[in-house]
């Protein structure tokens, strides 16, 4: 089917029409808070590679056949270890423990943007301290072009500490190979 990429539009309840055919698009793609999303308007057209289910409360045996991860590993023909995984932090370091393979980024108006070199060093130092000592402070203050931000490497957030609304953004690190 055909898809169209659109800017954020909370009022869109059906896909727009393709001007060349007059038919409605099958899916709409776009970004929301730095996450790529695909909206499929007809369930029969959706073929996800994996189905991830989230539940609250007690487990419903009809909807979740396995009581534990161990049981799923034993009984399932196809098993994905986990949607949530621990990043292998050592693989991001050079042989001498240097962090040059890592780039810290924040989710800005135009997607993921790297911090400046001075902020990179400050954030990485705080991160390394937290890895060594769980009771170490997980926050550091960095200066951007206009504002000061508090970076929290545990919650992976950036908070504007100078603006009245204290806007928060997601942060991440990625490999720089």
């Amino acid at each position: 089917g055909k898809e169209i990429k659109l800017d954020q539009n909370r009022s869109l309840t059906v896909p727009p029409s393709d001007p060349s055919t007059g038919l409605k698009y099958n899916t709409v793609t776009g970004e929301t808070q730095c996450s790529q999303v695909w909206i499929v308007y007809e369930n029969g057209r959706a073929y996800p590679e994996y189905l991830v289910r989230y539940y609250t409360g007690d487990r419903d045996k009809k909807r979740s056949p396995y009581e534990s991860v161990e049981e799923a590993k034993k009984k399932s023909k196809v098993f994905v270890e986990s949607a949530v995984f621990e990043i292998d932090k050592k693989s991001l370091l050079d042989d001498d423990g240097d962090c040059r393979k890592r780039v810290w980024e924040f989710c800005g108006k135009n997607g993921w943007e790297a911090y400046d070199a001075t902020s990179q060093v400050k954030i990485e130092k705080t991160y390394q301290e937290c890895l060594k000592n769980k009771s170490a402070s997980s926050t550091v203050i960095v200066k951007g072009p206009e504002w000061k931000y508090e970076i929290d490497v545990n919650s992976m957030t950036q908070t504007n500490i100078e603006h009245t609304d204290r806007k928060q953004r997601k942060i991440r690190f990625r490999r720089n190979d």
Side-chain angles (χ1 to χ4, degrees), residues 65-66 70-78:
Y66 306 113
E70 289 74 28
E71 184 183 356
K73 283 181 182 179
K74 288 177 188 172
K75 295 181 178 178
S76 177
K77 291 180 183 174
V78 177

Side-chain angles (χ1 to χ4, degrees), residues 66 86 92:
Y66 306 113
E86 181 76 18
L92 294 168

